[in-house]
Amino acid sequence: SSGINAEYGGYLSCNRFGTFIGLAHAAMTAEGDNSVLIQKVAKERLALFKPQPSVTPSEDITSSAELLNLVKIRENTLFSALGQELGVAGREGLFQCWMLEQNETIQNAGKTFGERLVADEFQRVIDETQDDTKGVLQSLLHLHLVSYVKDNAAWFLTHSIITPDQSKQLTSKFDELCRVIAADALPLIESF
């Protein structure tokens, strides 16, 4: 008994692939990615798009509120640019623009919308939490937001939304939050 789940392609049963693979198939292409799903999300979101309220970032961008604001700025910028490009393409050039020219913007816009939606819902759950898990949940959300903005720092820098010094703040905050969450890592994993 090697701990391998022979029923499901040799993956360890503790990874729970067998439990969750069925949930993923409908939203994945044959290549195993979610690009088609993200295109659908971006298309629906673009049809209903109204810019998220956002403000010019402050000097210190490391608070959860500032980071969420940056996610909203990115979402607004991406969907606005996508809408403009599709408008220029018109009906005749829609397919060409959507499928061949704007795929990266579509993917980034759809994913950014998802990240903002997850952050909003995560914050709602934190606000409703009444027990001692509230602090660790807030730290997890904060880490998630720092990680997202840090991973997309090049985009924020090239669009002059943050400065190189602010980008450095992200790495420091990420490291700090990892140290904070490390104390609760095992209980968090075991709660899954």
Side-chain angles (χ1 to χ4, degrees), residues 43 85-87 89-100:
K43 180 183 176 199
E85 289 295 326
L86 293 172
R91 277 190 166 309
E92 310 80 44
L94 182 63
F95 180 83
Q96 173 80 17
C97 185
W98 184 267
M99 296 301 290
L100 303 175

Side-chain angles (χ1 to χ4, degrees), residues 27-100:
M28 289 172 46
T29 65
E31 294 82 22
D33 65 29
N34 291 321
S35 297
V36 174
L37 177 63
I38 296 298
Q39 279 192 350
K40 290 180 179 187
V41 167
K43 180 183 176 199
E44 294 299 318
R45 177 69 179 145
L46 187 60
L48 302 171
F49 179 67
K50 291 181 183 150
Q52 291 292 305
S54 62
V55 297
T56 302
S58 69
E59 193 62 35
D60 180 3
I61 60 167
T62 61
S63 72
S64 289
E66 285 290 332
L67 293 162
L68 182 56
N69 181 57
L70 288 170
V71 174
K72 290 176 181 180
I73 290 170
R74 185 165 195 231
E75 179 184 0
N76 292 342
T77 303
L78 290 167
F79 276 106
S80 295
L82 183 57
Q84 288 173 350
E85 289 295 326
L86 293 172
V88 168
R91 277 190 166 309
E92 310 80 44
L94 182 63
F95 180 83
Q96 173 80 17
C97 185
W98 184 267
M99 296 301 290
L100 303 175

Side-chain angles (χ1 to χ4, degrees), residues 9 25 39 43 61 68 81 109-110 138 147 149 160:
H25 276 205
Q39 279 192 350
K43 180 183 176 199
I61 60 167
L68 182 56
Q138 187 62 52
S147 180
V149 174
S160 301

Side-chain angles (χ1 to χ4, degrees), residues 90-122:
R91 277 190 166 309
E92 310 80 44
L94 182 63
F95 180 83
Q96 173 80 17
C97 185
W98 184 267
M99 296 301 290
L100 303 175
E101 297 170 4
Q102 294 300 316
N103 191 52
E104 185 174 349
T105 302
I106 292 164
Q107 294 298 312
N108 287 332
K111 290 175 184 175
T112 301
F113 166 67
E115 294 293 340
R116 199 252 320 141
L117 191 64
V118 166
D120 285 347
E121 286 302 304
F122 200 161

Side-chain angles (χ1 to χ4, degrees), residues 104-178:
E104 185 174 349
T105 302
I106 292 164
Q107 294 298 312
N108 287 332
K111 290 175 184 175
T112 301
F113 166 67
E115 294 293 340
R116 199 252 320 141
L117 191 64
V118 166
D120 285 347
E121 286 302 304
F122 200 161
Q123 187 60 60
R124 183 188 60 74
V125 168
I126 291 169
D127 292 343
E128 293 174 1
T129 300
Q130 300 297 321
D131 58 24
D132 59 351
T133 60
K134 192 170 193 149
V136 72
L137 291 175
Q138 187 62 52
S139 293
L140 284 172
L141 173 58
H142 198 169
L143 179 61
H144 173 72
L145 290 167
V146 169
S147 180
Y148 178 79
V149 174
K150 181 176 162 289
D151 289 348
N152 292 285
W155 185 90
F156 288 103
L157 286 164
T158 58
H159 285 79
S160 301
I161 296 168
I162 65 171
T163 66
D165 286 339
Q166 288 172 315
S167 180
K168 291 175 189 173
Q169 292 174 11
L170 298 170
T171 301
S172 297
K173 182 54 91 170
F174 180 86
D175 292 346
E176 175 191 324
L177 288 166
C178 285

